[in-house]
Amino acid sequence: MLDFIVSTLKDWGLFGLLLSLSIEASSLPFPGGLVVLAYGYILKASAITSLGIALLAGGVYTLFSYIPYVIGYKLEGKLKKLV
């Protein structure tokens, strides 16, 4: 089972990392921290490449974290009426 997960993560590459970060940032229940740690082991990137991946991953995480923010912003008035 573990071999299947590791081989799937290797096949997906950087796209899989960014996809897992987007799922985690959108507040869906997902073990994103474990996936990011696994990718840190799998990708074995140089220092400069790691910096680029970190900047890209931070941007994706920030972008997708606006999803729960916008949902909360849109529902704020409706929830105050219920209380």
Side-chain angles (χ1 to χ4, degrees):
M1 180 68 173
L2 185 62
D3 293 332
F4 172 73
I5 294 170
V6 170
S7 67
T8 303
L9 292 178
K10 281 183 183 179
D11 291 341
W12 287 5
L14 184 60
F15 174 74
L17 173 65
L18 298 177
L19 179 67
S20 68
L21 285 172
S22 64
I23 292 171
E24 182 184 10
S26 61
S27 295
L28 294 173
F30 182 74
L34 294 175
V35 175
V36 171
L37 286 174
Y39 269 109
Y41 172 74
I42 291 170
L43 290 179
K44 295 182 182 174
S46 66
I48 298 296
T49 307
S50 295
L51 179 63
I53 291 172
L55 290 173
L56 181 62
V60 167
Y61 197 94
T62 301
L63 181 69
F64 278 88
S65 67
Y66 280 108
I67 293 173
Y69 171 77
V70 170
I71 291 171
Y73 184 77
K74 296 283 184 180
L75 294 178
E76 180 183 15
K78 294 178 182 177
L79 291 176
K80 284 185 178 179
K81 289 179 185 176
L82 292 175
V83 177

